[in-house]
Amino acid sequence: MGQVLIGNVEEEKTLQTIAAAIQAERPYLRLSRVEVRGQTDLASQQGGMRVFWIYRGQGEVFLPTGYRTQEGDGRPLPEPYQPDPLDSAFADLLQTARNGLPKLRSEVQVPVQAILSRWKNDRFFTGDIGGELWKLEHLARPWAEEPETETALAGLFARYRSVGFSTKQESGWEPICEGDQLIADSQQSISVRGEFCCLSMEHIERPTSHVSAVRRLRYLADTAGGCNPDFDPFRRLPLTWYMTAPGDAEDGVNWVNSHVVNIPKETSPSHFHPSRPIRGGQLQTEMYLVLDPAGYRLNTYGRKASLIVFPDLRDLSRFEQHDLSPGTFVYIPPGTGHRGLDVFVNVLTLPGFKPHNEYYIDRDIRETTNGQTPYNETLLDAKNYQRIEDLLA
């Protein structure tokens, strides 16, 4: 358990303090802030994969003919893009999954239907299904009554990173705004113009990017889950966890994830990510980069955003509640309990949202504090609940 760090992303002291904490635990990462005024190129500083998260302002990005992206499962991409031809082997897996859909358990049908919804007219497949496969991997197997369907669903893990792309047919400038993500690496810089500010992080030992250079929230599907499992969420995944097979351990290609999510207090669980990762690999550190809900016309109904922190899991009567506003930047180390309330936020995690690496603590809070410490009454029976005293033994 470490110290939660919090301040405004534009305060140099805040940024330096959090940057030092990140670099102390992961020496290959560099955190910085970038302000764009006019036209410039966003580039790697030390020959690595560098991610830029826009948190204020707007502008444009230049994307050339032949640029390929897995966007388009939210709002359709504009006319200069054409979906790539569908891989026949992947189409066979989709067809088998569709045929077996009625015999899947109801909870398995949800992510599978979301995957199939990206299959347009049986001809094209658009978007990134990493988030849906993450959910599928968390459900008990077998997923299907028929072995053929089970095999097809497992087969999606090996192919999904190479499908779902669309290719731009004509070079030009395209709008970008708050919440969008840009990536440069040793081989490619990104031309932008406008007035906007970004939080940036570079992996100096990763020379190339494993995802496309631009992810814009308007072109990404809402994927219910996590802190917003409701039927009508705002939860979009510019950079999600990638695995090659169900049950993958360690961290694979992942070194950072980005989830932009509106977190209402009703569906937000008190939880922590353990100091000993469940399946090995790196510890999971989480950060909040708070965005302005007005930018996406989200109605806050007069609610005030905040973050509850439990710095000592052995004494849940101790808690801190911090007000949050656009521009607030929070560093939450592993082994620290936390719960976001009524906040629109880009949740950044290192090395990402590791599968099975989260424990819910609302029941413990109620039982150990006689209900005197804030907890979520609706999430007392979370499936992956374990008593903290057992986890910390």
Side-chain angles (χ1 to χ4, degrees):
M1 291 176 281
Q3 180 183 2
V4 170
L5 306 174
I6 184 168
N8 192 284
V9 69
E10 297 188 346
E11 296 172 351
E12 191 62 27
K13 182 179 179 181
T14 295
L15 196 64
Q16 288 183 356
T17 301
I18 294 178
I22 292 171
Q23 195 167 338
E25 64 183 31
R26 306 170 207 268
Y28 49 85
L29 296 184
R30 302 290 185 271
L31 184 74
S32 60
R33 193 179 75 87
V34 177
E35 187 168 343
V36 173
R37 291 187 180 275
Q39 184 169 332
T40 188
D41 286 345
L42 299 178
S44 166
Q45 289 184 313
Q46 299 190 42
M49 175 181 168
R50 190 179 184 194
V51 188
F52 303 83
W53 296 285
I54 302 174
Y55 65 84
R56 179 166 59 83
Q58 57 187 356
E60 293 179 301
V61 59
F62 183 83
L63 297 173
T65 301
Y67 170 73
R68 298 176 72 241
T69 178
Q70 277 183 308
E71 301 167 295
D73 49 5
R75 185 188 303 176
L77 288 162
E79 189 171 323
Y81 289 89
Q82 289 185 5
D84 290 359
L86 181 60
D87 176 81
S88 59
F90 190 75
D92 290 343
L93 296 177
L94 294 175
Q95 186 61 57
T96 301
R98 176 189 283 170
N99 293 341
L101 188 63
K103 295 187 177 181
L104 300 179
R105 300 196 312 274
S106 58
E107 65 271 25
V108 176
Q109 287 183 3
V110 174
V112 174
Q113 285 176 327
I115 291 169
L116 293 173
S117 71
R118 294 170 167 88
W119 193 14
K120 307 297 183 182
N121 301 320
D122 292 351
R123 297 176 56 219
F124 303 110
F125 190 87
T126 306
D128 184 348
I129 61 172
E132 278 71 27
L133 293 182
W134 191 95
K135 295 175 192 175
L136 184 62
E137 198 274 344
H138 280 66
L139 299 174
R141 300 186 69 174
W143 299 314
E145 295 179 10
E146 299 174 345
E148 184 181 14
T149 306
E150 182 81 6
T151 300
L153 294 179
L156 297 175
F157 287 79
R159 292 183 174 272
Y160 76 100
R161 290 181 58 207
S162 62
V163 301
F165 285 89
S166 297
T167 300
K168 194 171 185 186
Q169 306 298 308
E170 180 181 336
S171 299
W173 293 91
E174 299 185 33
I176 49 175
C177 61
E178 178 178 331
D180 291 345
Q181 172 184 283
L182 310 172
I183 298 177
D185 61 26
S186 64
Q187 300 178 6
Q188 175 180 283
S189 60
I190 308 171
S191 295
V192 296
R193 65 188 184 189
E195 294 190 6
F196 57 91
C197 296
C198 308
L199 180 70
S200 171
M201 188 177 295
E202 181 172 354
H203 190 312
I204 65 174
E205 298 175 358
R206 184 72 65 85
T208 59
S209 173
H210 58 287
V211 293
S212 52
V214 182
R215 294 284 175 98
R216 293 154 290 190
L217 296 189
R218 61 189 173 279
Y219 298 134
L220 302 181
D222 279 317
T223 57
C227 292
N228 195 336
D230 202 42
F231 68 94
D232 186 22
F234 189 110
R235 182 177 179 270
R236 303 179 189 180
L237 316 182
L239 185 52
T240 191
W241 186 267
Y242 292 108
M243 62 185 77
T244 57
D248 268 2
E250 302 294 332
D251 301 322
V253 300
N254 304 280
W255 68 270
V256 64
N257 280 178
S258 167
H259 284 29
V260 179
V261 58
N262 189 41
I263 305 177
K265 63 183 178 182
E266 289 83 0
T267 59
S268 178
S270 305
H271 66 283
F272 72 97
H273 309 288
S275 297
R276 293 190 298 271
I278 301 304
R279 294 186 174 182
Q282 301 177 47
L283 300 176
Q284 182 174 329
T285 296
E286 191 164 313
M287 292 168 287
Y288 275 21
L289 178 59
V290 181
L291 306 177
D292 187 351
Y296 287 85
R297 299 182 180 179
L298 300 177
N299 195 333
T300 62
Y301 300 98
R303 297 182 174 194
K304 293 184 177 180
S306 65
L307 174 70
I308 298 176
V309 174
F310 302 91
D312 185 354
L313 294 174
R314 299 181 186 276
D315 182 4
L316 295 174
S317 65
R318 290 181 51 200
F319 73 96
E320 308 162 3
Q321 187 157 4
H322 301 275
D323 291 337
L324 303 175
S325 59
T328 300
F329 188 35
V330 187
Y331 165 88
I332 306 170
T336 303
H338 56 282
R339 179 186 173 204
L341 302 175
D342 300 319
V343 60
F344 182 51
V345 60
N346 189 350
V347 184
L348 308 172
T349 55
L350 306 171
F353 292 90
K354 295 166 68 76
H356 310 281
N357 202 62
E358 179 172 287
Y359 289 116
Y360 297 143
I361 58 175
D362 285 297
R363 192 191 307 176
D364 266 305
I365 295 170
R366 186 186 69 172
E367 293 179 356
T368 61
T369 70
N370 294 318
Q372 298 303 303
T373 298
Y375 66 95
N376 192 332
E377 179 73 33
T378 64
L379 295 177
L380 296 177
D381 296 319
K383 290 183 179 180
N384 58 341
Y385 167 81
Q386 288 183 257
R387 291 185 64 86
I388 285 183
E389 61 185 37
D390 297 328
L391 296 171
L392 301 181

